[in-house]
Amino acid sequence: MADNKPAILSVYDKEIELPILKPTVGPEVLDIRKLYGQGDVFTYDPGFTSTASCDSEITFIDGDKGELWYRGYPIEQLAEKSHYLEVCYLLLYGELPDAGQLEDFENRVTRHTMVHEQMNNFFRGFRRDAHPMATMVGVVGAMSAFYHDSTDISDPWQREVAAIRLIAKLPTIAAMAYKYSIGQPFVYPRNNLDYASNFLHMCFAVPAEDYKVDPALAKAMDRIFTLHADHEQNASTSTVRLAGSSGANPFACIAAGIACLWGPAHGGANQAALEMLQEIGSVDRIPEYIKRAKDKEDPFRLMGFGHRVYKNFDPRAKVMKESADEVLDLLGIENNETLKVAKELEKIALEDDYFVSKKLYPNVDFYSGIILSAMGFPTAMFTPIFALSRTVGWISQWKEMLSDPQNKIGRPRQLYVGSGKRDYVDVAKR
Ligand code: SDX
């Protein structure tokens, strides 16, 4: 990949050649792996705003154009024409499956949707009012205490089984976390239901009566899963890669990813965005919140707005916005005040120089909560749904990292600005 025109970096009295690596598409990168050895200096990039941590074939984002591809396929096409388990196959194996491969993959996932019966006991250890993300971090981490036959990361077959188990069982665990939080009995997965229908059934069915999944809602749910499936080297994916680089087992790595995703600056923003829209409450209160978002002295930010990479519309937000109209219409919900506030807030913000100059647009979290709330999910379930959707992305990136011959433990350095060396002083003399 290196081009034959290296960059020349002049450090003190040295000229250091840094190869320039060319991508399939997107920015070229300076290969600085030899910099410390040759120049005795580190690079400095808190938040990794200008740093590529790896090379990857899985997802490409063009932040300026607002484009997102999974294995080269634009997200708009996948959201419209594909479905989540086919997207899982694509992300895991790199190509769209033929009919036989797809059927085999769907059967394998379907037959791993149940969890070990003893895992039910874990939930009883949590308070009923625990946030479902807290429960999920705990239970997913505990999977390594049950599925010992898929924790040896040096065995490709065990890596494969762990990937299938995680994709299959995360919806079951998320649904169990929800049921536990509302004091209802767990509902087992059903092999005659598709992935999204199974999740809705496990969340909303009760033993006392039959529950029929609305196919249109299942399709909307499936599309939400697809839109969240992967997103290049975001914070939680980087967490999974860093955890995996130490050789930690896949269940521990995904639990680490769930913990990172929970933050309101990341996947927790979908819950925070809906709560913000509900707090605004009506269109006439929008200017007050726009003012607060622009006030440097006020920590308030427009949740669901802005993105490290997208400096244009997040293509997922566009699809989500269209889906919000469809789902509310399907559910016969008219004049949804929250959706009205969201659309007006987006319009006002995108005409305001502060947001335009900083290139702040709605992101994937801005509209998703409106759909999930209309479907009947409490806000606390929004990020668990993001987590179960993103599990395939995390595990695909984890598998790619482990099969990379360059793979080594991730260990960043620092700019040390603490005290110089000094001697210990006895407490009597301090
Ligand atoms: C996700 O990385 C991914 O790919 C993540 C994700 C995925 O699929 O994995 O896309 C999912 O996490 C989406 C983002 C969800 N988070 C939110 O919606 C929370 C609100 N957004 C922000 O906190 C912020 O925009 C981030 C965290 C998303 C991005 O932050 P950056 O890239 O570090 O940008 P920044 O904080 O440096 O902001 C640049 C400027 C700042 O002003 P100045 O210091 O330059 O004057 O824009 C301002 C910020 O104050 N700003 C906002 C704002 N977001 C940024 N001002 C008001 N409201 C906002 N939402």
Side-chain angles (χ1 to χ4, degrees), residues 172-231:
T172 308
I173 291 169
M176 291 171 79
Y178 171 54
K179 284 302 202 185
Y180 184 71
S181 74
I182 57 175
Q184 286 188 1
F186 300 139
V187 174
Y188 287 99
R190 299 192 55 81
N191 290 352
N192 64 330
L193 294 177
D194 64 69
Y195 194 87
S197 300
N198 215 355
F199 178 64
L200 292 172
H201 184 262
M202 289 188 286
C203 287
F204 298 124
V206 289
E209 57 190 34
D210 292 339
Y211 176 83
K212 190 162 171 16
V213 178
D214 180 331
L217 283 186
K219 186 168 175 11
M221 185 82 262
D222 189 274
R223 187 185 305 137
I224 287 176
F225 292 161
T226 292
L227 292 173
H228 289 84
D230 192 50
H231 213 241

Side-chain angles (χ1 to χ4, degrees), residues 262-269 303 365:
W262 193 2
H266 192 13
M303 301 314 280
D365 295 315

Side-chain angles (χ1 to χ4, degrees), residues 303-322:
M303 301 314 280
F305 248 78
H307 199 277
R308 170 63 56 77
V309 177
Y310 289 122
K311 301 307 170 193
N312 195 326
F313 251 93
D314 179 335
R316 302 167 298 177
K318 280 184 182 172
V319 178
M320 206 71 86
K321 184 177 176 182
E322 289 155 18

